[in-house]
Amino acid sequence: SFTVSLRTTDNITVTIKLRPGAPQGCQIRAKYLPRYDLKIKPGENVTFTFTCKTPEEYFIMEIQKNIDCVSGPCPFGDVHLYPPGLPRLNRTFIWDVKASTKAGLELKFATPWLRQIEPGATCPDFISYNISSCIDTATVNIGTFCRGGSVSRVKLQGGVIMALYLPWNSSPITSGFNIANRSSIKRLCIIESTLKEESSVTLMSPNYPLGFPEDELMTWQFVVPSNLRASVFFHNYSLSNCERKEERVEYYIPGSVSNPEVFKLSDIQPANIAGSFNLSLQGCDQDAQNPGVLRLLFQVVVQHPQIDENVTHLVDLSREWDMTVTIHPEGWPSWSPFGSEPICLVCRDPRSCDRALTLVSGAVYKISFLCKDLARLRITAEKQISCVDFWRCQGKIYSLSVPKAITQLPVRLHKFIWKLLAPEQINVEITSPTSKLQQHVQEQRCSTSYSYSINSATPERDLNVGVFCPGGSIEKIQMRNNVTISLKTFGKGFLNDSSRQDLKMSFVQHIKDECTFTVRPEPGAKLYLQAPSGPHGLPPYVSISWYVAVPSKQVARLGFSRERLGVVCETGRAYVNIQEQRLGAEETVRREDEALPQPLHMYHSFWVNISNCKPADRTHLSLQFWVTFAEKKMDLAVIIAVVAGAGLLMAIGLVVCCVRKKKKKSQNPMVGVYNANVNTQMPGKQGLFKKGRKNNESHVYAVIDDAMVYGHLLKESNGSVGPEVDVYRPFDGPVGSLPPSPPPLSFRKDIKLSPSVEEPPHLTETDHDAYTFAHQKLGEPEKEGDTNGKSNGDTSTSLLENKEQDGSEE
């Protein structure tokens, strides 16, 4: 059993009640009556027990002491935990001090002092303090605190309500604070924070995250040794709607010539403050209809002065457009409370410093760093390139390289982002003409000091094109829509590699596919290529193409890393198309429900294209393939054919030489004979000849031998001139205005031209034919008047024989 005896003069009330949400599995038994709550008033003596062995699981206890400092003297000094002998329950001690609104009260805490926490947070030991101030009938929550911090004193105007929360298994001896009387502080409260060494403290305005009282003033006093430097950072704040005055913060810095220094809450707050200082928050008269909320959460960091704080760095962004450069700590922009390590600050001037500093293009900046280790800082930059009118952007080539103004800083570049914005009918082309790009895949990882992450985005879908690094085979990438390229660095090697950047971009007109890669590998290379993907694989109805240029004297071997595309189509079909770029090349096509082809040999440059369908749930299209290159090896059959062909040509040449030599020795002189029956002028009427070319050879000439050109030069062995029967002679008369017509294609031998025919027969223009030549049979000398010769196109019979034969027929 437990006995609680309260004196009337102590003005203490003890209340035991069920915990919120606890079951009614245990009761309090007092004066033989079971109950679920018990209230013991001043002057009472009560003995009670619990009907269970673990009452701490069911009940909580409040011990409230009312202190009246208005009608009588206040019991200043240490505050004790009274009464003794209480049961071990979760308990709350409350001291409600009533005081004049013109009087000031001071709560002084014993070491290790207090640390303010946000509402809803818990302390590591579950022991917490809550301080509230009373203004007339309103109560203002100054804050909740844990043990172990820098808050050493809290001064309040008027009354105060102090609450100490203790868990059932803790048994502190003292309350850890005392109350003292002070003169009026003429403001809501003053919170004193003592920082003796490098550390940080997080503080909040009263009522946080609710609104700071209207038109109120409060102050934080920071006690800092003169050899340390303090910096203030506002992490979260909001403003109310003011009718009169203006919400602001004021700094009183010893030694400053402009005290108090006034800042807006949106300004960068002072940094690198030497020694102690005060910070005050001033509210305003708020709009009654829409007051808004004034609140503030900030942090003060104290550290030793830095050696390089007076070294300035010039950042010239005057020639840049649409670019921002942010210098920030590693892990930014996610905010986390400062740890025990000293922080790094970036300063525009000795007193204007912040954890992160953003520089905008079009200006020149002088910055400095308050940081022991610059390796803890990073740079993130962003540049926007847009094209609204294609005719203005056409032909322009933009360099996607990091400016020297960034690479010369002593801070590592974390990421440089290019946002390429283009209308619907304009597309983006990225090239890397010198170093080319390598796609980062599992089998072929990038090991360079930086890489590019490329994304193509529309309001409807995102397409992750992939991660690429320099030193590969991809020469060009063409993409639709807006494109984001993020350069990310790894390690310190980028400083040396930055001078070799050659990534460029331009705006081009509409392209067929969502994305097209141009791959131009070096001889003997091996490369892996992977299809772009979105959050759930390749987006529906998207087409991707690769053009792979096969080097000269090389053969490519194309293979796929998976057996199938891995997608099940809900609507439409997914395809893979492969085709060499040559005339008449066959196309290899596979659907999503078919196995991908076995490795193929490509002797010419070729295309690989994939087209997606609308995938079914939990399936997506993914494609990865590899290409190797090797020297072309001539096939054995080809070698044999080439050798046989060369031998055959040599044999033919040898036979021709032998025949020509034998012919010259055995044949009689060849005569070029002209057929006088053929008209050499263009006919004007329908032809009278009915016999075709196959039945008439009067237009055929015997071959003119090289040694015997004209018949009139032929002589017998005795020197006399031979017969001049129809012998061709050069024309020595006057030349007419019309050129001679070539002989007709055909005419009939059974129709003879008579001298009475005034005009030659008419033939169409298409009947013209060139002179043809016939060889005399080897070993058969010419015989005048021989009527046994073959007509009908036999080119082995001389023209002289044909003419005599024609004469006999007539």
Side-chain angles (χ1 to χ4, degrees):
S1 63
F2 301 92
T3 300
V4 176
S5 180
L6 300 178
R7 295 174 299 188
T8 304
T9 56
D10 292 335
N11 205 13
I12 294 175
T13 302
V14 177
T15 303
I16 302 174
K17 56 186 177 181
L18 282 172
R19 294 176 55 179
Q24 296 180 351
C26 188
Q27 290 181 320
I28 305 170
R29 189 177 296 276
K31 299 179 180 180
Y32 305 104
L33 296 175
R35 61 185 69 187
Y36 291 104
D37 58 78
L38 176 64
K39 187 173 185 179
I40 306 173
K41 298 179 181 179
E44 293 183 349
N45 188 351
V46 178
T47 301
F48 60 93
T49 60
F50 296 98
T51 61
C52 60
K53 294 183 178 180
T54 56
E56 66 274 6
E57 297 179 2
Y58 301 92
F59 295 96
I60 58 174
M61 180 166 53
E62 289 182 358
I63 304 97
Q64 179 170 334
K65 180 178 178 63
N66 296 321
I67 302 174
D68 186 3
C69 296
V70 176
S71 57
C74 289
F76 297 123
D78 292 338
V79 177
H80 301 282
L81 299 179
Y82 185 84
L86 296 174
R88 295 173 65 85
L89 302 176
N90 290 342
R91 53 204 181 276
T92 303
F93 288 89
I94 300 174
W95 294 271
D96 187 355
V97 182
K98 306 292 184 186
S100 170
T101 56
K102 298 180 180 180
L105 294 175
E106 179 183 276
L107 304 178
K108 186 175 182 180
F109 300 95
T111 54
W113 299 329
L114 301 182
R115 172 176 60 88
Q116 189 173 6
I117 61 173
E118 295 187 47
T122 57
C123 299
D125 58 1
F126 300 102
I127 298 176
S128 62
Y129 295 84
N130 182 265
I131 305 172
S132 297
S133 177
C134 298
I135 303 176
D136 298 329
T137 59
T139 301
V140 179
N141 180 22
I142 302 300
T144 302
F145 301 83
C146 300
R147 294 191 300 180
S150 63
V151 176
S152 52
R153 289 188 295 179
V154 175
K155 302 175 185 178
L156 301 108
Q157 183 76 20
V160 59
I161 299 175
M162 182 70 177
L164 171 61
Y165 300 93
L166 298 174
W168 67 273
N169 55 357
S170 64
S171 54
I173 301 175
T174 62
S175 64
F177 70 97
N178 61 48
I179 300 177
N181 186 19
R182 290 293 180 264
S183 59
S184 174
I185 59 175
K186 299 180 180 180
R187 59 200 66 201
L188 176 63
C189 65
I190 299 174
I191 298 177
E192 182 183 86
S193 179
T194 303
L195 302 163
K196 293 184 177 181
E197 54 187 14
E198 286 190 332
S199 59
S200 68
V201 55
T202 299
L203 297 166
M204 284 147 274
S205 59
N207 278 343
Y208 186 90
L210 302 178
F212 185 70
E214 181 179 6
D215 196 24
E216 277 292 346
L217 173 67
M218 72 157 294
T219 300
W220 291 273
Q221 292 180 338
F222 297 97
V223 180
V224 181
S226 59
N227 65 328
L228 296 178
R229 301 292 182 266
S231 301
V232 181
F233 305 97
F234 287 3
H235 293 305
N236 189 15
Y237 69 89
S238 65
L239 303 175
S240 59
N241 298 316
C242 298
E243 283 189 346
R244 290 186 301 272
K245 300 182 183 179
E246 185 179 6
E247 296 166 336
R248 64 191 184 275
V249 289
E250 298 178 355
Y251 291 85
Y252 181 84
I253 302 173
S256 175
V257 297
S258 57
N259 281 324
E261 296 185 17
V262 180
F263 290 81
K264 295 180 179 179
L265 275 72
S266 57
D267 293 337
I268 296 178
Q269 303 303 309
N272 205 27
I273 303 171
S276 302
F277 67 98
N278 292 350
L279 167 61
S280 298
L281 174 64
Q282 175 66 63
C284 67
D285 292 334
Q286 299 174 349
D287 184 355
Q289 302 298 326
N290 184 20
V293 174
L294 171 62
R295 60 187 171 202
L296 173 64
L297 183 149
F298 68 100
Q299 196 167 21
V300 176
V301 179
V302 175
Q303 57 188 3
H304 288 286
Q306 307 303 313
I307 298 175
D308 298 332
E309 61 181 298
N310 295 324
V311 178
T312 59
H313 302 269
L314 187 68
V315 183
D316 187 359
L317 303 180
S318 59
R319 297 184 179 181
E320 299 293 339
W321 295 89
D322 296 327
M323 186 172 78
T324 59
V325 178
T326 302
I327 306 172
H328 56 86
E330 190 174 11
W332 179 89
S334 60
W335 178 83
S336 59
F338 295 112
S340 58
E341 296 182 358
I343 64 169
C344 288
L345 301 177
V346 188
C347 306
R348 287 186 177 180
D349 56 65
R351 286 279 301 281
S352 179
C353 304
D354 204 346
R355 294 182 67 191
L357 177 63
T358 299
L359 311 177
V360 182
S361 57
V364 179
Y365 302 89
K366 290 182 178 180
I367 64 173
S368 60
F369 300 98
L370 297 179
C371 186
K372 287 185 177 180
D373 185 9
L374 291 177
R376 296 165 56 191
L377 290 178
R378 295 289 184 270
I379 296 176
T380 297
E382 182 176 306
K383 184 178 180 65
Q384 180 174 299
I385 303 174
S386 61
C387 177
V388 179
D389 185 359
F390 176 73
W391 301 110
R392 293 185 177 182
C393 308
Q394 187 179 20
K396 288 186 179 181
I397 299 177
Y398 302 86
S399 175
L400 303 184
S401 58
V402 180
K404 290 184 179 180
I406 296 177
T407 57
Q408 68 184 6
L409 290 174
V411 179
R412 172 182 157 187
L413 175 67
H414 170 62
K415 187 180 291 186
F416 198 109
I417 302 171
W418 290 273
K419 291 189 174 181
L420 315 178
L421 308 179
E424 186 175 354
Q425 298 302 321
I426 302 177
N427 301 282
V428 174
E429 179 178 282
I430 301 170
T431 60
S432 180
T434 305
S435 60
K436 300 182 185 177
L437 297 176
Q438 169 192 318
Q439 188 171 13
H440 177 80
V441 295
Q442 186 70 25
E443 294 80 3
Q444 189 172 268
R445 294 177 175 272
C446 290
S447 58
T448 54
S449 62
Y450 64 97
S451 68
Y452 299 100
S453 177
I454 303 178
N455 291 271
S456 174
T458 63
E460 296 81 17
R461 64 190 177 204
D462 291 335
L463 182 65
N464 178 19
V465 179
V467 177
F468 304 86
C469 57
S473 303
I474 301 174
E475 186 178 70
K476 179 169 60 178
I477 305 175
Q478 292 179 320
M479 290 165 287
R480 291 182 186 172
N481 312 318
N482 297 332
V483 176
T484 300
I485 303 175
S486 300
L487 182 149
K488 189 175 182 180
T489 63
F490 307 95
K492 300 179 180 179
F494 177 74
L495 188 61
N496 298 326
D497 298 338
S498 61
S499 60
R500 294 191 288 270
Q501 298 176 85
D502 74 331
L503 197 66
K504 303 181 185 304
M505 68 80 53
S506 58
F507 294 100
V508 296
Q509 288 183 320
H510 185 73
I511 60 175
K512 176 183 176 183
D513 298 316
E514 194 80 16
C515 184
T516 301
F517 298 84
T518 299
V519 185
R520 202 171 298 277
E522 297 295 328
K526 181 175 183 179
L527 54 100
Y528 291 86
L529 297 169
Q530 183 171 291
S533 63
H536 305 288
L538 188 67
Y541 308 118
V542 166
S543 179
I544 309 293
S545 291
W546 293 264
Y547 171 73
V548 182
V550 178
S552 177
K553 299 180 181 180
Q554 294 266 307
V555 60
R557 190 166 185 261
L558 167 66
F560 295 89
S561 301
R562 299 177 59 180
E563 184 179 353
R564 296 178 184 269
L565 291 176
V567 65
V568 177
C569 291
E570 180 180 313
T571 306
R573 287 288 193 181
Y575 291 94
V576 174
N577 301 67
I578 306 164
Q579 188 174 27
E580 285 186 308
Q581 192 178 27
R582 61 180 176 84
L583 188 62
E586 293 184 0
E587 185 176 13
T588 302
V589 182
R590 294 291 188 274
R591 294 186 319 207
E592 83 283 352
D593 57 350
E594 298 175 330
L596 294 171
Q598 295 299 315
L600 303 173
H601 287 88
M602 299 292 182
Y603 295 91
H604 303 82
S605 300
F606 61 94
W607 287 90
V608 177
N609 173 271
I610 58 171
S611 300
N612 198 13
C613 60
K614 181 181 179 182
D617 292 340
R618 299 182 181 180
T619 66
H620 62 271
L621 187 150
S622 62
L623 179 72
Q624 180 177 313
F625 61 93
W626 49 264
V627 185
T628 59
F629 298 88
E631 293 289 336
K632 285 184 179 179
K633 294 181 179 180
M634 189 173 292
D635 190 63
L636 181 60
V638 176
I639 297 175
I640 295 174
V642 170
V643 173
L648 181 60
L649 291 176
M650 291 178 63
I652 293 173
L654 183 61
V655 170
V656 170
C657 291
C658 294
V659 170
R660 288 176 60 88
K661 186 175 181 181
K662 184 176 180 181
K663 175 182 175 182
K664 287 184 180 181
K665 290 181 179 180
S666 60
Q667 72 180 4
N668 288 338
M670 294 185 180
V671 180
V673 183
Y674 177 72
N675 187 352
N677 292 330
V678 178
N679 180 28
T680 60
Q681 294 294 329
M682 175 65 74
K685 293 184 179 180
Q686 288 290 341
L688 300 176
F689 299 103
K690 306 298 182 181
K691 202 169 185 178
R693 177 177 179 178
K694 293 184 178 179
N695 300 324
N696 192 323
E697 297 186 8
S698 59
H699 66 295
V700 181
Y701 276 73
V703 173
I704 302 174
D705 191 81
D706 295 340
M708 297 295 187
V709 180
Y710 299 112
H712 70 282
L713 300 178
L714 297 174
K715 293 185 179 181
E716 300 294 341
S717 60
N718 56 4
S720 62
V721 178
E724 298 183 358
V725 181
D726 286 342
V727 177
Y728 177 80
R729 292 183 182 276
F731 178 71
D732 295 328
V735 180
S737 61
L738 293 175
S741 300
L745 281 173
S746 62
F747 49 85
R748 295 182 55 163
K749 292 196 287 184
D750 55 345
I751 298 180
K752 182 178 180 181
L753 287 176
S754 64
S756 63
V757 179
E758 296 179 0
E759 295 185 41
H762 174 74
L763 293 176
T764 60
E765 189 176 355
T766 57
D767 290 336
H768 303 166
D769 193 12
Y771 288 80
T772 58
F773 299 89
H775 285 280
Q776 175 183 331
K777 289 185 179 179
L778 293 177
E780 296 182 8
E782 294 181 3
K783 297 179 182 180
E784 295 183 12
D786 187 359
T787 60
N788 298 324
K790 304 285 184 183
S791 61
N792 221 9
D794 189 353
T795 57
S796 63
T797 306
S798 68
L799 185 60
L800 295 178
E801 295 173 331
N802 287 339
K803 180 158 183 67
E804 292 180 0
Q805 183 177 352
D806 293 344
S808 62
E809 291 178 357
E810 295 170 358

